[in-house]
Amino acid sequence: MQELAAKGMAAQITPPPITRTDVDKVLARQKATVSKKDLELYTRFTREFGEEG
């Protein structure tokens, strides 16, 4: 992109649109980022101390 920008051609390049199918594919491969143990700790903490917005 930087090379194209230097030549004044970057504006001619547009990425393809993201479709619902693209999102579904990503979600199918996505792994959890928080463990069940961490969620249990959060739930217990929230029950005990409440939740501040």
Side-chain angles (χ1 to χ4, degrees), residues 14-27:
T14 57
I18 297 173
T19 65
R20 173 66 190 230
T21 303
D22 297 327
V23 173
D24 289 341
K25 285 180 184 178
V26 170
L27 290 175

Side-chain angles (χ1 to χ4, degrees):
M1 271 309 268
Q2 289 176 349
E3 290 176 21
L4 292 173
K7 295 177 184 178
M9 299 173 63
Q12 297 175 2
I13 305 296
T14 57
I18 297 173
T19 65
R20 173 66 190 230
T21 303
D22 297 327
V23 173
D24 289 341
K25 285 180 184 178
V26 170
L27 290 175
R29 294 190 312 251
Q30 183 64 33
K31 295 180 183 178
T33 57
V34 179
S35 70
K36 287 185 180 185
K37 182 180 175 182
D38 289 338
L39 287 175
E40 290 169 6
L41 289 172
Y42 174 78
T43 303
R44 192 169 54 227
F45 178 88
T46 302
R47 254 186 279 138
E48 187 173 340
F49 298 106
E51 183 175 2
E52 293 289 325

